Amino acid sequence: MKILILLFGTFLALGMFFLVSRILNIPSIATCKAMISLTKKNEENVKSLDAFIHSLVVKSAKYLPMNEHKKILLKHTLNAVGITDTPEEYTVNAILKATVISLISIPCFYIFPLFTPVLILLSVLYYFKEIRKADDRLKAKQESIERELPRFVSTIAQEIQSNRDVLSMLEKYKKNTTKVFAKELDIVTADMRSGNYEIALNRFQTKFNSPNLSSIVNELIRVINGDDGTIYFQMLAREIKEQEIQRLKGEALKIPSRIKVFSFLMLMCILFMYLVVIIFEIIRSLGMML
């Protein structure tokens, strides 16, 4: 009986889906795959589930109310990490993916009732993971760029003594830096070649909330306008290098506490292994006595 109810619900859901898709003129999965492939910057294959959810996202994003200030902040974050979705589409995408997981709990309630709360909790956790995805990517990119700034400003401090061409300095440095920073420098140098140097550099620094990067960019703008900048970059290089040393010391201080945690976990595993062996031997001895 339960199997018949499950089959009836499945076919009813499929029929309603095709009917609603026809009424709302939702594009097919193949069409959505092609649309997503055009906007993706990597070569990953587009999954059918992502294409299906994207078709729903595009239709329902315009009905999502969003605070204007939050919308601007989210748009800035999405642009910084290279996500092409609008703020409404990004938010609806997280909601729909979590909803898909939570809907699985409906048939699960009839088959494995005890597993239903786990699926609901999983859907909530997945929503928060998806909604924070852009912030996590931006934080990782900021940390990567911050680690590269000491070498970047030190190179500028040496180059600026004999070269006043900011564009050539950036072009030369992006060939010998990390992939993340090279990509950002590639964007800013392309903007500089096609437009105003100051506007391009200001756009570059506003993408990341980094005081050190802002100091570097502001001085580069002053160099473009005729400032010497040699002494300033030498002092800034020493200051940022000192900050990097303090950061590395802070990370080194965290290592012993992490080692203690893993050592404790290893000790608990060893004790658990001994405990299992002892309990097994006790049970076997009682069985032989009986």
Side-chain angles (χ1 to χ4, degrees):
M1 187 63 181
K2 289 184 177 180
I3 297 177
L4 291 176
I5 295 175
L6 182 61
L7 290 174
F8 173 76
T10 302
F11 286 115
L12 179 63
L14 287 173
M16 293 181 64
F17 165 71
F18 289 121
L19 181 62
V20 172
S21 299
R22 184 64 177 174
I23 295 173
L24 297 180
N25 196 23
I26 296 176
S28 64
I29 292 178
T31 304
C32 293
K33 275 184 161 184
M35 291 170 57
I36 298 174
S37 299
L38 291 174
T39 57
K40 287 176 75 72
K41 295 183 179 180
N42 48 29
E43 297 181 355
E44 296 178 0
N45 293 326
V46 181
K47 298 179 181 179
S48 297
L49 181 59
D50 291 336
F52 165 67
I53 293 178
H54 186 267
S55 64
L56 296 178
V57 165
V58 173
K59 289 291 184 180
S60 52
K62 55 186 177 182
Y63 301 108
L64 179 71
M66 182 174 288
N67 181 272
E68 192 64 28
H69 178 67
K70 182 180 178 180
K71 180 178 178 180
I72 294 173
L73 291 177
L74 184 55
K75 184 178 180 180
H76 175 76
T77 304
L78 294 176
N79 290 335
V81 297
I83 297 178
T84 57
D85 294 341
T86 64
E88 292 86 355
E89 290 176 351
Y90 177 80
T91 307
V92 171
N93 182 62
I95 295 173
L96 285 179
K97 286 185 176 180
T99 304
V100 170
I101 298 176
S102 63
L103 288 176
I104 302 175
S105 63
I106 297 176
C108 183
F109 178 77
Y110 295 98
I111 303 173
F112 302 107
L114 294 178
F115 197 64
T116 303
V118 178
L119 285 174
I120 295 175
L121 178 61
L122 184 64
S123 65
V124 174
L125 294 176
Y126 190 82
Y127 166 75
F128 286 108
K129 175 181 175 295
E130 284 294 309
I131 206 69
R132 289 199 300 260
K133 182 170 65 176
D135 291 327
D136 292 340
R137 287 186 184 180
L138 181 60
K139 183 178 179 181
K141 182 178 283 191
Q142 287 175 338
E143 290 176 352
S144 176
I145 291 175
E146 284 289 340
R147 287 193 294 268
E148 186 63 23
L149 289 183
R151 192 163 70 95
F152 179 54
V153 70
S154 178
T155 303
I156 292 178
Q158 296 176 2
E159 287 284 336
I160 204 169
Q161 297 178 16
S162 57
N163 182 16
R164 315 295 298 177
D165 189 353
V166 174
L167 179 58
S168 67
M169 283 191 288
L170 298 181
E171 290 275 7
K172 186 186 300 183
Y173 186 81
K174 74 178 182 181
K175 299 177 182 178
N176 303 295
T177 185
T178 60
K179 184 178 180 180
V180 175
F181 198 41
K183 185 177 180 180
E184 296 301 325
L185 289 179
D186 195 37
I187 295 173
V188 69
T189 51
D191 286 345
M192 292 173 70
R193 285 193 299 268
S194 60
N196 185 276
Y197 280 21
E198 293 187 27
I199 295 176
L201 289 171
N202 281 321
R203 189 182 297 119
F204 172 53
Q205 70 166 326
T206 53
K207 290 176 65 176
F208 307 101
N209 186 21
S210 172
N212 289 332
L213 182 61
S214 297
S215 299
I216 296 171
V217 170
N218 290 332
E219 186 59 28
L220 286 176
I221 293 175
R222 284 192 284 268
V223 169
I224 293 173
N225 293 327
D227 193 9
D228 181 57
T230 304
I231 298 176
Y232 181 87
F233 276 113
Q234 290 175 352
M235 295 176 60
L236 187 61
R238 287 195 294 268
E239 181 181 345
I240 295 179
K241 185 177 181 181
E242 184 64 29
Q243 292 177 7
E244 181 66 10
I245 292 173
Q246 295 300 324
R247 185 186 67 81
L248 293 175
K249 286 182 178 179
E251 291 184 357
L253 292 174
K254 296 178 182 178
I255 294 176
S257 60
R258 294 175 183 174
I259 294 176
K260 291 179 182 179
V261 172
F262 290 115
S263 299
F264 177 75
L265 292 175
M266 186 178 296
L267 177 62
M268 294 301 296
C269 290
I270 295 172
L271 292 176
F272 180 74
M273 291 171 59
Y274 279 111
L275 184 62
V276 169
V277 173
I278 292 171
I279 293 174
F280 178 76
E281 290 295 328
I282 293 173
I283 293 174
R284 190 175 65 174
S285 299
L286 292 174
M288 292 175 64
M289 291 174 61
L290 296 175

